Amino acid sequence: MKSVKIGNIKIENPICLSPMAGFSSLPFRIICNEMGAAYSPTELVSARSIRYNGIGKSLRYMRIAPDEEKITAIQLFGSEPEDFEAAVRTIMETPVLQEVSIIDINMGCPVPKVVKTGSGSALMEDPARAASIVKACKKALAELCLNVPVTVKTRIGYNAGDKGKPEFARALADAGCDMICVHGRTRIQMYHGESSNEAISVMREAVRGYDIPFFANGDITDTESARKIIEETGCDGIMIGRAARGNPWIFEQVTAGLNGNEIPAMPCEKDRKLMLIRELEGRLKYLPEDVAVREFRSVMPFYIKGLPGSSQIKVRLCSCSKADEIKEILGID
Ligand SMILES: Cc1cc2nc3c(=O)[nH]c(=O)nc-3n(C[C@H](O)[C@H](O)[C@H](O)COP(=O)(O)O)c2cc1C
């Protein structure tokens, strides 16, 4: 894909890892970047919590490594513009976070706990509030004299019948949003049914007159589905979510396929297991072993999916509490 600019940031090969709570760990994002992902936002973090409790507990979800990731993005969720303004200030005044390249706002999360507070997907029903949130982030950054772009990740609508929300996309662009990424499902669909490229393209067209890149997301699993979403939506970039879980190689495969090059084969069993261990060891650098291993239980099955004996291995891995047990089960020293 052609390079794009998000604000002043040049994005080569705009194929990104879509943020996923529980999966977008710092080591996994670094691995995906090595495999060709342009950048990978953190999972969603509460702007309100940062405002009232500081970075503290949220830091583990917001960790970035500017040297290794090159382009970094922190994703915030919330419903009050003031929470975002305060959260952005706090992030930019925190030494380990202040080099972040992009602030991303979640306007697509469908989870009831989030939507109930007017955050995530609920913002699609309130374009004026969504615009105020973008403006609040931009204001905080401008006051700090920082040229950090603000992006939004959203969906094609809230209700079952929604087929794209052009007025919502325009409200975001008018507010100064520097990139919009749209997942082709409604809030009601959660993660079920098909992602609609047609509805994504309605939002794409709505902001074509603005000088900002538009990314599409939903159901990309290989080169073919990547090519399809690009052709059918006219997007400038793509984000890959679920298909990348335990499969960072998808980025080199899709990149090669879209460039008309030979698609590299999936690595062998041993290399897949070694990659699992690499992510685990990365997590162990900033989390206590029991926490790291417990949280990694839901990630490991994706790395071994389809390997001989994977069902039995999965059961054993899911009861581990120590990193050494995982290595032993996988036969890796
Ligand atoms: C387990 C899980 C966690 C997710 N967490 C987030 C999140 O923190 N922020 C966000 O914007 N989207 C989140 N998403 C949505 C994905 O980024 C993506 O939009 C969605 O899965 C559709 O893309 P896909 O078909 O490539 O998976 C999550 C999805 C899953 C499955």
Side-chain angles (χ1 to χ4, degrees):
M1 299 193 80
K2 275 198 219 141
S3 65
V4 294
K5 277 187 104 178
I6 297 181
N8 263 346
I9 301 176
K10 189 167 183 193
I11 315 283
E12 306 278 3
N13 193 38
I15 302 176
C16 304
L17 171 67
S18 207
M20 285 179 290
F23 292 88
S24 295
S25 68
L26 175 59
F28 186 60
R29 297 193 328 257
I30 292 172
I31 291 167
C32 289
N33 288 9
E34 277 179 26
M35 295 288 163
Y39 74 93
S40 315
T42 65
E43 65 181 76
L44 77 181
V45 179
S46 164
R48 170 151 289 205
S49 171
I50 297 174
R51 179 181 183 188
Y52 290 108
N53 310 319
I55 295 295
K57 280 192 188 150
S58 307
L59 178 62
R60 47 169 306 208
Y61 304 107
M62 304 162 75
R63 260 175 211 286
I64 51 169
D67 290 344
E68 287 164 283
E69 294 185 270
K70 295 181 201 73
I71 298 167
T72 55
I74 291 176
Q75 189 185 67
L76 298 174
F77 76 95
S79 61
E80 297 298 331
E82 295 76 19
D83 290 349
F84 282 87
E85 197 175 328
V88 167
R89 279 186 177 282
T90 305
I91 289 170
M92 291 307 175
E93 283 159 2
T94 302
V96 289
L97 300 178
Q98 64 194 173
E99 280 180 59
V100 67
S101 329
I102 295 168
I103 296 292
D104 186 48
I105 307 171
N106 182 307
M107 299 196 186
C109 180
V111 175
K113 194 173 72 181
V114 170
V115 174
K116 240 187 278 166
T117 64
S119 314
S121 286
L123 287 167
M124 289 186 287
E125 295 292 90
D126 193 348
R129 179 179 287 269
S132 305
I133 289 174
V134 172
K135 285 184 191 156
C137 294
K138 301 281 290 186
K139 178 168 169 261
L141 292 162
E143 283 173 3
L144 293 166
C145 299
L146 293 169
N147 199 2
V148 172
V150 175
T151 60
V152 169
K153 181 162 171 291
T154 186
R155 290 186 174 228
I156 54 167
Y158 190 97
N159 298 301
D162 287 340
K163 293 186 168 60
K165 283 207 167 276
E167 69 298 338
F168 177 69
R170 275 193 293 270
L172 297 175
D174 282 332
C177 179
D178 294 290
M179 180 278 255
I180 301 174
C181 175
V182 177
H183 168 198
R185 284 188 179 82
T186 61
R187 187 264 153 164
I188 297 298
Q189 277 180 286
M190 308 285 286
Y191 297 99
H192 308 297
E194 266 178 39
S195 176
S196 167
N197 291 347
E198 197 181 335
I200 297 175
S201 77
V202 168
M203 295 176 79
R204 198 287 156 270
E205 289 313 314
V207 293
R208 207 176 261 291
Y210 295 82
D211 192 18
I212 55 169
F214 182 96
F215 281 44
N217 160 245
D219 293 351
I220 301 172
T221 53
D222 52 18
T223 303
E224 205 181 312
S225 45
R227 190 172 287 129
K228 193 163 184 282
I229 203 170
I230 295 164
E231 280 171 11
E232 292 181 357
T233 68
C235 64
D236 307 299
I238 52 175
M239 287 203 166
I240 303 177
R242 289 165 297 174
R245 292 181 295 187
N247 180 18
W249 300 279
I250 193 169
F251 294 101
E252 60 177 14
Q253 291 177 331
V254 170
T255 301
L258 290 179
N259 289 334
N261 298 328
E262 194 180 327
I263 297 172
M266 271 304 276
C268 65
E269 180 172 339
K270 179 153 186 230
D271 287 348
R272 285 173 64 182
K273 290 178 176 173
L274 285 171
M275 194 62 96
L276 179 159
I277 300 295
R278 179 174 164 198
E279 183 181 344
L280 171 66
E281 283 177 346
R283 286 173 177 249
L284 288 169
K285 282 189 196 150
Y286 61 92
L287 288 177
E289 186 171 11
D290 57 332
V291 179
V293 171
R294 196 174 55 239
E295 291 185 354
F296 202 46
R297 285 181 189 165
S298 52
V299 178
M300 289 186 286
F302 290 97
Y303 276 104
I304 58 162
K305 209 168 137 189
L307 293 179
S310 61
S311 317
Q312 294 92 312
I313 301 175
K314 196 166 91 180
V315 174
R316 292 177 65 203
L317 288 175
C318 289
S319 59
C320 285
S321 51
K322 296 250 181 300
D324 282 346
E325 285 172 60
I326 294 176
K327 290 181 189 168
E328 197 189 311
I329 292 168
L330 295 176
I332 305 279
D333 319 309

